[in-house]
Amino acid sequence: MNARTLRWAASKAVVAAAPALKRVTNFYGAGVAVADAAERMIYANDRLYETPLRAEQTNFIRDYCQSNDLGFSETYWQTPWRFSLEQFELRDATFLGHTGRLIDRDLRGVVTEWGEADSINRDKISVLRQGPALEAVALPVPRFNNNFHFLIDAATPIIDYFESGAALGGPHVILTAANQKTFATETLAALSAHYGAELRMVAPNEKVLCSQAVFYRRRRPASAWFPVTRETADKLREILLAHFGRTADLARRRLLYLRRGQEKLRNLTNTAEMDALMARHDFEAFQPAASNFADQVSLCAEAQTIVAVHGAALANILFAPPGTRVVEVFGRKGCKSGYLSICHRLGLEHVISIGGEDDGDQNFAADLDHLDASLSPPAD
């Protein structure tokens, strides 16, 4: 453990032992709702969805998902559903290079969707080097470790912003932390090139004053359900394929097994048996990694069926064409309905396969009999 990590761990331990010190140490940043920090709302793409889930999907959410789907009403799986992605204009907000977050013009705290406090070391803000003010329209992108949340929380909102026709005038700069993961920097480079924006990476020891910045908030039935559309997903696939110089034959229809590496959570305890089952059904085994993001896009763009354990790798369904079958594998205690919702709204078929009991790290055994039956062609 290096010195920086040790100091951070010690600070968290102190706050955990004495919660009253949070305010004294400013360890946790105050949150300012974007609606309170903004000059105005630019637009809201309010949409109503009325196509119901199938009975087994409703039962899956009701019986397995509610403990993990946070911020829900007890009947959030019932139609109609209302989604929106609201874009706001902020003035004179400060972008922090060490987190990629915005502080509002009055320095009250971190700008968030609804004003909830964000976990951030505010003491560090005062020692960041002040860069020159940014006169262009800033599209701030926080630092992400997870491909799913990056694509849903950053990439697709940028596309919605430019494609809505409500973009602010003047040059645009996609502003992000310099220590982003490869999948994020590659995607942001593709988006900036496609929309004629500059991509600027801010060092962890710098902060930038933005004369104009765009921030958004989402409204949806549950925190696990995201307002992504078929049009946005298709545009993201098109932009990334062009960026990587790839082509995709949407009629090819691959059978893909997105194999999970040895992760901290949700590892299969019967991996060898799962691999053998996938091979018997002629699935291509592919393990997504930071180094093969271009392959993830092009392979999933040609998918007929995608099988994967619940996790960030399933973000690749955004690149799949309509009609793709998505088989999501869960342990009994770790079920969430986020990908079910995305499949439902993108015109993908979602199949649920619930395996055995999870251990303390959510590791479990896949139900091979159920998967075998799900992947076998129907009997004549």
Side-chain angles (χ1 to χ4, degrees):
M1 182 180 290
N2 61 37
R4 181 175 179 273
T5 303
L6 184 61
R7 287 195 302 272
W8 186 250
S11 299
K12 289 199 291 186
V14 168
V15 170
L21 291 178
K22 286 182 183 179
R23 182 174 296 277
V24 176
T25 62
N26 281 329
F27 185 80
Y28 286 94
V32 180
V34 60
D36 296 330
E39 290 287 313
R40 62 191 175 99
M41 181 190 290
I42 302 170
Y43 85 104
N45 63 346
D46 198 51
R47 300 186 183 209
L48 189 68
Y49 291 83
E50 301 188 78
T51 306
L53 297 171
R54 300 194 306 269
E56 63 269 25
Q57 295 172 324
T58 297
N59 295 340
F60 166 69
I61 298 172
R62 184 194 63 208
D63 297 338
Y64 290 96
C65 297
Q66 289 193 60
S67 60
N68 294 312
D69 282 5
L70 303 178
F72 62 87
S73 68
E74 292 184 357
T75 56
Y76 67 96
W77 58 83
Q78 296 180 4
T79 52
W81 302 305
R82 188 174 298 278
F83 292 85
S84 68
L85 185 70
E86 302 169 345
Q87 301 276 3
F88 293 85
E89 178 193 6
L90 285 77
R91 295 291 183 95
D92 302 328
T94 300
F95 181 87
L96 308 176
H98 68 305
T99 64
R101 300 288 181 179
L102 283 180
I103 297 289
D104 87 322
R105 77 164 85 198
D106 298 320
L107 304 179
R108 292 174 295 174
V110 182
V111 179
T112 60
E113 286 188 76
W114 303 100
E116 65 276 6
D118 201 359
S119 179
I120 184 172
N121 187 350
R122 290 191 68 199
D123 291 335
K124 188 171 182 178
I125 298 171
S126 61
V127 301
L128 298 180
R129 185 172 68 235
Q130 181 70 63
L134 184 67
E135 298 303 326
V137 179
L139 303 176
V141 177
R143 179 161 48 88
F144 288 91
N145 292 318
N146 179 294
N147 190 31
F148 169 76
H149 287 290
F150 167 74
L151 291 175
I152 291 293
D153 290 337
T156 55
I158 288 174
I159 293 174
D160 282 324
Y161 169 73
F162 283 111
E163 296 292 329
S164 68
L168 298 174
H172 286 80
V173 173
I174 297 177
L175 204 59
T176 195
N179 51 354
Q180 286 279 20
K181 299 285 188 179
T182 303
F183 58 77
T185 55
E186 288 282 6
T187 304
L188 294 177
L191 293 173
S192 61
H194 182 81
Y195 290 111
E198 177 188 348
L199 175 60
R200 187 175 302 183
M201 315 295 286
V202 181
N205 64 343
E206 292 182 327
K207 56 188 175 184
V208 178
L209 180 64
C210 304
S211 58
Q212 282 183 290
V214 175
F215 201 91
Y216 72 92
R217 73 178 177 193
R218 300 163 301 192
R219 296 180 184 270
R220 69 268 204 207
S223 62
W225 291 27
F226 295 89
V228 63
T229 65
R230 180 74 263 170
E231 296 81 8
T232 303
D234 288 344
K235 194 67 180 178
L236 178 62
R237 179 181 63 220
E238 172 195 327
I239 291 170
L240 287 174
L241 286 173
H243 174 74
F244 291 122
R246 301 291 184 93
T247 58
D249 180 358
L250 301 187
R252 181 168 181 177
R253 316 304 277 157
R254 292 176 180 269
L255 303 178
L256 287 178
Y257 168 40
L258 301 184
R259 200 173 182 278
R260 193 165 176 80
Q262 196 62 29
E263 304 290 345
K264 294 180 180 179
L265 298 173
R266 292 192 300 277
N267 295 299
L268 293 180
T269 58
N270 55 349
T271 297
E273 294 85 351
M274 181 71 165
D275 290 348
L277 176 65
M278 293 296 106
R280 183 155 57 82
H281 284 277
D282 297 323
F283 274 72
E284 301 175 58
F286 175 75
Q287 188 166 312
S291 59
N292 60 23
F293 183 51
D295 294 329
Q296 295 175 49
V297 178
S298 57
L299 289 174
C300 291
E302 297 180 343
Q304 172 180 312
T305 303
I306 298 173
V307 177
V309 172
H310 172 80
L314 272 170
N316 288 294
I317 65 175
L318 291 174
F319 312 126
T324 299
R325 196 166 191 241
V326 177
V327 181
E328 187 172 8
V329 182
F330 296 96
R332 288 193 166 271
K333 296 177 183 176
C335 298
K336 300 181 180 181
S337 67
Y339 287 118
L340 185 158
S341 169
I342 291 173
C343 287
H344 194 68
R345 301 179 65 238
L346 296 186
L348 312 178
E349 180 188 356
H350 186 267
V351 178
I352 302 152
S353 183
I354 301 176
E357 292 292 333
D358 314 60
D359 65 16
D361 291 323
Q362 299 179 33
N363 302 320
F364 66 96
D367 185 338
L368 302 180
D369 290 337
H370 179 269
L371 284 167
D372 190 23
S374 299
L375 299 176
S376 298
D380 294 333

